[in-house]
Amino acid sequence: MILEAVDQFAPQSAFQMLMSVVVCTFLVWYAQYHWNRRRLYRMASKFDGPMCLPFIGNGLYFVGSTRDILHNVMSVVSDFKLPVRVWLGQKLFYGVVDPEHLEIIMNSPHALEKDELYQYAEPVVGTGLFTAPVSKWKRHRKIIMPTFNQRILDEFVPVFVERSTILVDQLKNEVGKGSFNIFHYVSRCTLDIICETAMGVTVEAQTKYSDYVQWANK
């Protein structure tokens, strides 16, 4: 009888011990993880922002339709002191609206490195200026900077005028029909301008069917 009882409870005891080890290991790792991030938390506490939930942070603000997300973002910007602190999971972001704050960030040599999220775009666009690390980005930027002088930019003004006029004509078709999504029109106008000025290629994305637009949307 005793041996049968021991055999019966032995697997259960081993399982409980294993679970105890797993839980203890997780707690130690979790405590160490947050201890290593203590400076980040200390700096984040100096900024105003919405209350965070465990694990997801302020992720619920970015769930729902585009209209809901935009409404949540606008409420965060208006309800808290800027720059506003936002947590998405375990990643810390700052919402910058004031041009003076943006100027400080854009002029800082410590704000050049791309965010980790850009790595997901590398398989599509490679490591050009959009995704390149700082070491590569600086070299390429020095090469292309002379092409953005004022004289060359002035030559692009007629293109801006022509494509913007087409945009206005396209928007006239929507007058009196209620609300509509302006992104469809503005994105195609932007594509026309970028392709014609930076690449020397006329796409006519606003007035003609474009394979590029179709595949870019997909």
Side-chain angles (χ1 to χ4, degrees), residues 32-51:
Q32 185 179 15
Y33 172 78
H34 287 289
W35 173 257
N36 293 337
R37 290 161 58 92
R38 64 189 184 279
R39 182 175 180 273
L40 177 66
Y41 298 146
R42 186 167 59 250
M43 297 300 295
S45 65
K46 298 181 180 180
F47 293 85
D48 197 15
M51 185 180 67

Side-chain angles (χ1 to χ4, degrees), residues 120-183:
Y120 300 109
E122 287 187 13
V124 180
V125 299
T127 54
L129 288 177
F130 182 67
T131 58
V134 174
S135 56
K136 183 176 182 180
W137 174 82
K138 280 187 174 181
R139 296 197 308 270
H140 287 204
R141 186 187 178 190
K142 289 180 180 179
I143 295 174
I144 69 172
M145 276 303 294
T147 64
F148 288 95
N149 61 62
Q150 190 62 45
R151 180 183 61 81
I152 294 179
L153 293 178
D154 290 341
E155 295 176 358
F156 292 158
V157 172
V159 177
F160 299 155
V161 174
E162 179 184 358
R163 298 305 167 184
S164 299
T165 302
I166 296 176
L167 173 62
V168 172
D169 293 336
Q170 295 284 331
L171 294 177
K172 287 180 180 179
N173 297 326
E174 300 288 349
V175 174
K177 298 181 181 179
S179 61
F180 64 97
N181 188 356
I182 198 174
F183 177 80

Side-chain angles (χ1 to χ4, degrees), residues 75-214:
S75 65
V76 169
V77 170
S78 60
D79 294 344
F80 298 94
K81 183 180 178 181
L82 299 174
V84 61
R85 178 200 70 240
V86 178
W87 287 93
L88 292 181
Q90 299 300 309
K91 284 189 70 68
L92 174 63
F93 294 88
Y94 291 100
V96 181
V97 178
D98 194 325
E100 294 181 359
H101 296 160
L102 185 60
E103 182 181 8
I104 295 174
I105 295 174
M106 298 298 290
N107 289 330
S108 173
H110 303 292
L112 299 179
E113 192 64 69
K114 303 294 192 301
D115 189 83
E116 296 174 355
L117 295 174
Y118 280 80
Q119 65 182 332
Y120 300 109
E122 287 187 13
V124 180
V125 299
T127 54
L129 288 177
F130 182 67
T131 58
V134 174
S135 56
K136 183 176 182 180
W137 174 82
K138 280 187 174 181
R139 296 197 308 270
H140 287 204
R141 186 187 178 190
K142 289 180 180 179
I143 295 174
I144 69 172
M145 276 303 294
T147 64
F148 288 95
N149 61 62
Q150 190 62 45
R151 180 183 61 81
I152 294 179
L153 293 178
D154 290 341
E155 295 176 358
F156 292 158
V157 172
V159 177
F160 299 155
V161 174
E162 179 184 358
R163 298 305 167 184
S164 299
T165 302
I166 296 176
L167 173 62
V168 172
D169 293 336
Q170 295 284 331
L171 294 177
K172 287 180 180 179
N173 297 326
E174 300 288 349
V175 174
K177 298 181 181 179
S179 61
F180 64 97
N181 188 356
I182 198 174
F183 177 80
H184 170 78
Y185 295 98
V186 175
S187 61
R188 293 184 178 228
C189 178
T190 304
L191 178 62
D192 270 347
I193 292 174
I194 290 177
C195 289
E196 193 163 348
T197 56
M199 304 178 190
V201 177
T202 301
V203 178
E204 301 286 355
Q206 297 185 88
T207 56
K208 297 181 180 179
Y209 177 83
S210 173
D211 289 336
Y212 181 86
V213 174
Q214 178 187 7

Side-chain angles (χ1 to χ4, degrees), residues 3-20:
L3 292 177
E4 291 179 358
V6 171
D7 293 338
Q8 180 180 358
F9 288 104
Q12 183 177 1
S13 177
F15 176 77
Q16 291 176 346
M17 182 178 296
L18 177 61
M19 290 302 299
S20 299

